[in-house]
Amino acid sequence: MSTFAIASESVLISQAVAREARSGVLGTPKTLAPWLFYDEAGSHLFEQITELPEYYLTRTERSIFAAHAEEILREAARGQGPAGKLTLIELGAGTATKTGILLAAAVRQQGSVVYQPVDVSETALAEASENILTNIPGVTVRCQVTDYTREALPLDRLRNTRTLALYIGSSIGNFTPVEARDVLRNLRAQLLPGDTLLIGTDLAPGEHKNEAMLLAAYDDAAGTTAAFNLNVLTRLNRDLGADFDRKNFRHKVRWNGAVSRIEMHLESLTEQTVRIPASYGVPTLTVDFAHGETIHTENSYKFTPAAVRTLLLSACFKATKTWQDPKDLFAVTLATAI
Ligand code: AVI
């Protein structure tokens, strides 16, 4: 990519940050969209979160893949002709650390596989590609820099192949139910009947998961999730010249059982005024905070298996098989495009 293209891409991102900040902090209640977390520092903090003892999601999903990868791939390929192969596409692939288990199983099953990771981050995709090409012979990687939440998915349909789309990590849980349905409909629009989707979802509280465990996963003892949440203020200071003082806010997590979601907020510890100077066509903002007022920064929905099936059906996918860990903390569901 040329230097000019990179510069214009970063201007577009800064414009989007300015618009999101404006609409978010002027609203009641105040909000900031979770995609703002993922600047370079935030992406690094998220990688650290996935290794925290309290954050069970990543390692539990990985353990499900490790136990069932062969069966998942076999089920996804069911009905394929003997010469037919699966092509794997992954939404929000990031550095694709867990995907390797599935790709290795695909290579064992069909000899080789084409893998199309899709992500907004070019650097994450470059890392994913290097890791996979070094460690799993037989994989052809075709990276695609796209925001799958807003743009059509650029799917390379190869002759005589069927697509298995991966949407793992419970990323779907960071959308409202309507947004989640629309993300899946956007994906479904690019698939053909008989293609499949493998979706990872964090499960609602049950016998082995109580509210305390959920709260700890989002408010860890080392303070990494707090730093991840507060980093959004640092980003607005850097990208927009805002004057948020991080010391005047604290990370706050609550479980909203009525809608089955963890909420992350930034709570103002004092009455204060923050200034965001004019930028990218957005006028100067002066934002007043009451003591105790919060900015709602993220939702993380927790699903029942029935809720996953209903969500899938709303986007024309039929769930065919679900794998869970022995403690029912996390679910991985295979669904067919209908
Ligand atoms: C990316 N996503 C699935 C994470 C989650 O669990 O909702 C983001 C996250 N937020 C705080 N910790 C992790």
Side-chain angles (χ1 to χ4, degrees):
M1 190 184 271
S2 71
T3 320
F4 174 79
I6 289 170
S8 62
E9 189 181 302
S10 79
V11 167
L12 283 179
I13 293 172
S14 303
Q15 246 169 18
V17 172
R19 291 202 188 114
E20 175 55 44
R22 180 191 161 81
S23 66
V25 297
L26 290 185
T28 314
K30 294 178 172 61
T31 60
L32 285 171
W35 63 263
L36 291 171
F37 289 140
Y38 299 94
D39 64 356
E40 201 181 327
S43 301
H44 187 62
L45 284 164
F46 180 66
E47 290 293 323
Q48 290 177 20
I49 287 174
T50 63
E51 286 166 18
L52 291 170
E54 296 94 334
Y55 195 77
Y56 59 87
L57 287 78
T58 311
R59 64 172 173 277
T60 308
E61 186 179 48
R62 189 184 293 119
S63 75
I64 297 173
F65 291 159
H68 303 289
E70 311 288 338
E71 192 190 352
I72 291 171
L73 269 294
R74 245 194 342 266
E75 285 287 329
R78 197 188 274 270
Q80 273 291 67
K85 284 188 173 183
L86 290 173
T87 294
L88 270 57
I89 175 170
E90 181 171 3
L91 274 61
T95 52
T97 41
K98 279 170 292 180
T99 321
I101 304 174
L102 298 171
L103 290 170
V107 172
R108 281 196 296 277
Q109 182 171 284
Q110 57 186 38
S112 63
V113 69
V114 174
Y115 170 56
Q116 295 178 30
V118 179
D119 204 279
V120 277
S121 164
E122 199 175 333
T123 40
L125 287 178
E127 201 180 310
S129 175
E130 197 188 318
N131 277 342
I132 287 160
L133 292 174
T134 323
N135 296 315
I136 317 172
V139 183
T140 303
V141 183
R142 297 192 178 170
C143 296
Q144 188 67 52
V145 181
T146 298
D147 179 354
Y148 66 86
T149 63
R150 287 172 240 238
E151 298 157 49
L153 276 172
L155 212 152
D156 267 348
R157 183 164 284 283
L158 308 172
R159 260 169 56 92
N160 209 15
T161 67
R162 191 190 276 172
T163 301
L164 165 59
L166 308 175
Y167 196 28
I168 60 180
S170 204
S171 302
I172 194 74
N174 295 132
F175 296 104
T176 64
V178 168
E179 289 165 347
R181 183 204 62 196
D182 289 347
V183 165
L184 295 182
R185 283 188 178 169
N186 182 27
L187 167 66
R188 175 63 189 85
Q190 312 300 315
L191 300 178
L192 295 176
D195 286 340
T196 47
L197 161 66
L198 189 71
I199 188 164
T201 46
D202 194 20
L203 292 175
E207 196 188 337
H208 301 282
K209 186 193 285 188
N210 57 22
E211 204 178 305
M213 183 176 171
L214 267 174
L215 289 171
Y218 291 84
D219 196 4
D220 60 281
T224 309
T225 313
F228 174 71
N229 197 7
L230 285 159
N231 178 59
V232 78
L233 302 181
T234 308
R235 177 177 195 173
L236 296 188
N237 289 350
R238 188 197 57 228
D239 288 6
L240 306 178
D243 64 358
F244 283 99
D245 184 345
R246 279 174 60 138
K247 288 193 305 302
N248 289 341
F249 290 86
R250 77 172 181 108
H251 171 60
K252 191 175 172 189
V253 177
R254 78 181 196 106
W255 167 245
N256 184 340
V259 281
S260 195
R261 71 185 189 204
I262 282 283
E263 294 176 3
M264 294 210 313
H265 296 258
L266 289 166
E267 183 184 15
S268 176
L269 295 172
T270 177
E271 197 177 294
Q272 57 181 316
T273 300
V274 173
R275 192 169 168 276
I276 308 180
S279 58
Y280 303 101
V282 175
T284 300
L285 302 176
T286 306
V287 191
D288 295 323
F289 286 88
H291 182 199
E293 185 178 0
T294 74
I295 312 175
H296 186 170
T297 49
E298 187 182 59
N299 293 316
S300 193
Y301 283 83
K302 309 302 168 190
F303 298 81
T304 60
V308 176
R309 287 196 293 273
T310 306
L311 170 63
L312 286 166
L313 262 186
S314 72
C316 289
F317 287 101
K318 185 170 170 20
T320 51
K321 184 142 190 167
T322 299
W323 294 266
Q324 292 177 199
D325 57 293
K327 290 187 170 170
D328 296 332
L329 303 179
F330 201 93
V332 170
T333 304
L334 186 70
T336 306
I338 50 173

